[in-house]
Amino acid sequence: MSGEGHAPKTAALVAYLEGVLTPEGARRLESHLAGCGTCARALGAMRAYDALVDEARAIEPPAARSDAAAWEALRARLPRRRLGLDGRVAAWAVGAAGVAAAVAFLALAGAPGRAPRSGADPVGDRFTVPERPAPALPAPADVEVTAWSGEVRVDGEPLADHGPRLAEGDRLTTGPGAALHAAIATADGGDNWAAGPTGWALGPDADVALASARVGELILTVERGALTVAAGALGDDAYVGVRAGRYTVSVEGTRFLVSREREDGEVRVVVAEGVVRIHDPGRASPIRVGPGEVWSSRAGRIPRPIAAPEVEALATPWLPEGVPGDGTAAFTLPQTRGVVSWELGGAHFDAAGDVRVRLAPARFEPEGIELAALDRFGRRRLERVPLAGDPLPTAAFEPRAPAEGRGVLTVEQIRPVVRRGQRGLRRCYERWARSTGREAPIELRLRLKVGRRGDVVDATVVGDGVPVPPPLGGCVAQAARGWLFPLPEGGPVRLEVPVRFGPGSRR
Amino acid sequence: MLRSPPSPAPASIPVTAPRAPASMHGLEALIRQAQTGDEAAFEALFRRHRGDVTRLVFRLLGPTPEVDDVVQDVFVHVYRSLPSFRGDAKFSTWLYRLTTNVVRMHLRRARSRPRFADVEVPEATAPEGAFGDGPETATERNERLAALRRVIDTLPEKKRTVLVLHDLQGLPAKEIAAIVEAPVLTVRTRLFYARKALYSALTAEPALASLVDAMAGTLRGRPEAREDDGGAGGRPPRGDGGAR
């Protein structure tokens, strides 16, 4: 038969099999099938599939055991205490928008206390009422320590004895000068909750509990010390959160910093990009802190730009992209005059002592491993440190710096949203013109970041040549944050909208 | 091409009536009671839904000895997540969503596990006389179904899930949409492309060559009644001509 070299028209064949073609259409198709081997075989495959599915449907799974035996086996596996509704539901309360990389830095100082184990309410605080019911995605996530130095314990057991695998409910403590990096290996690029790597780093003298480590949910409870969290692009229904005292900080795809003063317990949140929500049991709704904003538990929103040390703290302390970790190296950081910390691929080690790190074998050279030594002025120099023994092969793992997905919105999708928003922008200009008595034409550029859910997660205003009056710029940015775009394909989108104000001008 | 939900086949999983406390009526009450930690109510839920969950796991995973373990995992997760079930969706939808997620995680773990050799697994067999289609042997049928399984397993995860839920489990597209948390149109699109990929793979599967050739021999198609959801996946979504 002929017909080789052209692809069968599946839709036409389906319509033919379903009998929905017109008599004339069916005749034409049949005449084509008579001379086209490819299409005839495709039709045969469709019919074969129908027959096979009928057979497969009639098959029942073999009975492995009786209901009673299955129940007894299941009963033995059930947790003794049901998970507290508060913690579990609150964990899902905020479906993370899943926009981008997120980094949280938690510097806490408080009385050390026993972090609750999984199975009980992970913290004693009350949480906000869930905004939507929990989806059922509670499979445990694979959590592994990827690098550590100094004294690190898991539930009181030295990490070296415990092994790098962590589980929900584990409590991690670090000694003076110790550091730890851990990550969740659930990234698969599909519709899983985290399309990118998600992990955290512990500073010295820290006490942190892994309250929940499940697919779709990562919750860390900080009792004491400093914690940095990085989340990859989060999917819908995913949740990454950190609990600290009465506050719960949930990630919506952003970079932010949370700190707690040692003296008076003041909590500060600094958002570099994106949005975070702060859940305070004393308030009915969460506090939403947007990009470029600083919030304090004492003073509320603070109108000041982000300070340099905060920006520095927001730098991602993560192993850089392209450093797969399928080997473990052990080495000893030497006491070196003038060196206050060491850096390897974004991981920081503040003290001299034993370090283990997971890297690709290609990074292990016979003469040792190269690290950056930093002095107290932040100056760097490269030092080669000999390895202690041969690198040990371990399971493949790829810690990477958080990466932000790039999505697509077409002009046709953007234009109507901007058009609808023009009225709000004009109101900003008119209000500003009334209050200042000026009617000068002003041109500006509105920079937007549209999240995976089509909401504006970041809006900033820059002048087009001349600075924009802050009240006008703030009003415009605020108005734009309420815009809702169609769902972008592939991830968050950044776009820029030129805006021209002036007497009589439309935009 | 469109199918009605499967008729209840002879169950090899013994199903007994739930041992619900006398004061409870209906599934809703059972769930509420189980949410409070009532073990008897949870056991009743388990007994009532074990068969459905086992069937779904079996169809998603294929004949493997791990089916029973995965079913157990599902109910462990049900136990943990039950307090968060608010009744916004049907319980069966919620349960199926959880089941597909647990199976998905199981498959991912299995993929990352080292494999040393192919292990022979017991094949599930069809009940005697279930087909009434001539003197063929169960072996031939099992070979055909194993070939179908191989072909289904080549599909990407999302498409495979939708295809199994619709074509094998017999769920309507609307319910599948709630299970996989995607729009109905997306479900239909996935179903269309899953079938399209399957048709192509079936023609290349040696164990099915004779079946495909035999089916290709008859020109006239057989119209089928559309019963389940008015066209879920049987045809490409509007605007997609399907011609490739």
Side-chain angles (χ1 to χ4, degrees):
Chain A
M1 280 194 272
S2 65
E4 303 301 329
H6 92 94
K9 292 183 184 300
T10 308
L13 294 174
V14 168
Y16 174 71
L17 280 179
E18 289 180 355
V20 295
L21 287 184
T22 61
E24 174 55 28
R27 267 196 302 278
R28 280 218 311 266
L29 185 63
E30 283 171 7
S31 117
H32 173 76
L33 287 170
C36 175
T38 305
C39 290
R41 267 187 77 75
L43 187 72
M46 290 176 178
R47 286 174 173 160
Y49 176 67
D50 277 2
L52 288 166
V53 165
D54 285 341
E55 286 186 340
R57 275 182 173 188
I59 303 284
E60 282 290 305
R65 47 188 157 185
S66 69
D67 266 5
W71 166 248
E72 284 311 313
L74 174 66
R75 197 162 171 263
R77 289 187 56 194
L78 295 179
R80 282 185 187 169
R81 292 171 62 192
R82 184 186 297 286
L83 288 172
L85 193 58
D86 266 353
R88 171 64 55 193
V89 174
W92 291 103
V94 183
V99 176
V103 173
F105 185 87
L106 251 139
L108 295 171
R114 173 74 189 164
R117 302 282 308 188
S118 161
D121 189 1
V123 290
D125 303 318
R126 302 288 303 174
F127 297 102
T128 50
V129 175
E131 293 167 6
R132 53 178 161 155
L137 272 173
D142 295 328
V143 184
E144 289 198 15
V145 174
T146 55
W148 70 96
S149 70
E151 185 194 352
V152 177
R153 290 178 178 270
V154 182
D155 286 336
E157 186 184 8
L159 182 62
D161 299 337
H162 178 277
R165 203 64 178 263
L166 300 177
E168 187 174 276
D170 280 347
R171 183 185 174 193
L172 300 160
T173 49
T174 53
L180 171 143
H181 289 245
I184 291 184
T186 54
D188 70 348
D191 60 350
N192 199 357
W193 68 295
T198 296
W200 66 92
L202 270 184
D205 291 321
D207 183 347
V208 170
L210 194 50
S212 176
R214 301 196 156 268
V215 173
E217 181 180 286
L218 170 67
I219 302 174
L220 295 151
T221 304
V222 181
E223 298 293 335
R224 187 185 74 239
L227 169 69
T228 306
V229 178
L234 300 178
D236 286 344
D237 299 324
Y239 178 86
V240 172
V242 180
R243 291 169 184 163
R246 62 182 278 182
Y247 297 99
T248 300
V249 182
S250 64
V251 176
E252 286 205 12
T254 184
R255 297 202 312 150
F256 65 96
L257 174 150
V258 182
S259 64
R260 189 171 173 194
E261 294 298 321
R262 189 175 288 271
E263 288 76 23
D264 59 5
E266 180 195 9
V267 173
R268 281 185 175 209
V269 177
V270 180
V271 178
E273 61 178 54
V275 173
V276 300
R277 291 177 186 222
I278 301 165
H279 303 265
D280 179 350
R283 293 171 57 103
S285 56
I287 302 158
R288 192 171 181 269
V289 184
E293 289 184 331
V294 180
W295 176 89
S296 153
S297 59
R298 265 203 317 213
R301 285 179 209 280
I302 303 172
R304 68 162 175 80
I306 300 174
E310 292 163 339
V311 173
E312 193 179 327
L314 282 162
T316 55
W318 295 95
L319 297 174
E321 202 158 350
V323 185
D326 47 6
T328 298
F331 52 90
T332 302
L333 291 174
Q335 287 278 9
T336 308
R337 187 183 170 82
V339 173
V340 294
S341 70
W342 299 84
E343 187 187 297
L344 173 65
H348 289 264
F349 308 98
D350 288 336
D354 292 338
V355 171
R356 293 183 190 193
V357 65
R358 305 182 71 177
L359 291 171
R363 297 288 297 263
F364 303 126
E365 294 172 13
E367 57 271 31
I369 194 161
E370 202 167 65
L371 293 99
L374 284 83
D375 66 14
R376 66 192 178 93
F377 302 108
R379 290 181 298 214
R380 300 155 58 95
R381 69 166 189 271
L382 291 177
E383 294 257 339
R384 193 168 285 281
V385 179
L387 293 180
D390 292 330
L392 301 171
T394 57
F397 180 77
E398 294 185 15
R400 286 177 297 175
E404 181 175 325
R406 294 279 166 82
V408 176
L409 274 176
T410 63
V411 175
E412 288 72 25
Q413 289 173 309
I414 295 168
R415 191 174 289 137
V417 179
V418 174
R419 198 172 291 138
R420 279 197 298 273
Q422 281 183 9
R423 180 180 294 182
L425 302 188
R426 274 204 302 275
R427 272 202 297 269
C428 288
Y429 176 74
E430 287 160 8
R431 195 179 304 146
W432 172 79
R434 268 201 309 274
S435 65
T436 59
R438 294 162 58 188
E439 280 198 351
I442 289 180
E443 291 185 7
L444 54 85
R445 305 188 81 76
L446 181 55
R447 289 180 181 158
L448 303 177
K449 182 173 167 188
V450 180
R452 283 170 185 267
R453 290 193 279 200
D455 53 337
V456 176
V457 294
D458 190 354
T460 52
V461 169
V462 293
D464 208 354
V466 290
V468 179
L472 175 62
C475 179
V476 167
Q478 190 60 33
R481 281 182 199 128
W483 293 358
L484 190 63
F485 289 84
L487 298 182
E489 269 192 29
V493 175
R494 286 182 189 277
L495 56 104
E496 199 169 83
V497 181
V499 181
R500 187 178 303 120
F501 291 121
S505 69
R506 305 288 292 173
R507 198 181 85 172
Chain B
M1 309 303 288
L2 297 165
R3 302 174 177 286
S4 56
S7 56
S12 42
I13 299 283
V15 179
T16 55
R19 293 189 318 186
S23 62
M24 280 202 299
H25 299 287
L27 181 62
E28 221 172 281
L30 203 58
I31 292 166
R32 268 204 307 276
Q33 209 148 335
Q35 282 177 322
T36 64
D38 185 325
E39 193 177 288
F42 185 75
E43 182 184 353
L45 275 179
F46 170 73
R47 286 171 179 266
R48 181 184 280 203
H49 293 283
R50 183 185 169 219
D52 287 340
V53 170
T54 304
R55 221 166 279 124
L56 179 55
V57 171
F58 175 72
R59 284 171 178 156
L60 286 165
L61 285 182
T64 154
E66 291 164 334
V67 168
D68 207 40
D69 291 341
V70 175
V71 172
Q72 294 265 314
D73 285 347
V74 169
F75 280 100
V76 169
H77 292 313
V78 169
Y79 185 79
R80 285 189 170 138
S81 302
L82 202 55
S84 66
F85 176 70
R86 303 281 157 154
D88 292 349
K90 276 199 306 184
F91 180 72
S92 61
T93 303
W94 182 83
L95 183 63
Y96 281 160
R97 187 191 306 160
L98 192 145
T99 304
T100 53
N101 285 328
V102 170
V103 168
R104 196 167 56 190
M105 292 314 300
H106 173 82
L107 289 171
R108 285 179 190 169
R109 278 198 302 273
R111 272 205 299 271
S112 62
R113 224 176 277 147
R115 294 184 60 175
F116 300 104
D118 283 337
V119 180
E120 201 169 317
V121 294
E123 294 281 349
T125 52
E128 190 117 1
F131 309 107
D133 52 359
E136 66 175 359
T137 63
T139 311
E140 286 169 341
R141 190 163 52 234
N142 287 341
E143 278 173 10
R144 274 204 309 272
L145 291 176
L148 174 67
R149 189 74 236 171
R150 280 197 297 276
V151 174
I152 289 176
D153 285 345
T154 61
L155 291 174
E157 184 179 283
K158 287 178 183 173
K159 291 195 181 91
R160 187 177 61 238
T161 303
V162 166
L163 181 111
V164 169
L165 288 171
H166 190 274
D167 284 359
L168 297 184
Q169 194 73 5
L171 297 177
K174 196 175 169 189
E175 189 170 355
I176 297 172
I179 291 168
V180 302
E181 296 175 283
V184 176
L185 190 62
T186 304
V187 168
R188 289 181 175 156
T189 307
R190 284 182 196 167
L191 187 56
F192 174 74
Y193 285 107
R195 285 176 174 170
K196 193 167 184 284
L198 268 186
Y199 299 149
S200 165
L202 284 177
T203 56
E205 171 62 47
L208 298 173
S210 60
L211 180 67
V212 171
D213 286 341
M215 295 288 187
T218 333
L219 272 182
R220 176 53 79 180
R222 53 180 173 90
E224 279 192 326
R226 185 182 302 247
E227 291 176 43
D228 60 352
D229 56 356
R235 278 190 287 176
R238 192 168 295 184
D240 185 327
R244 297 286 180 274

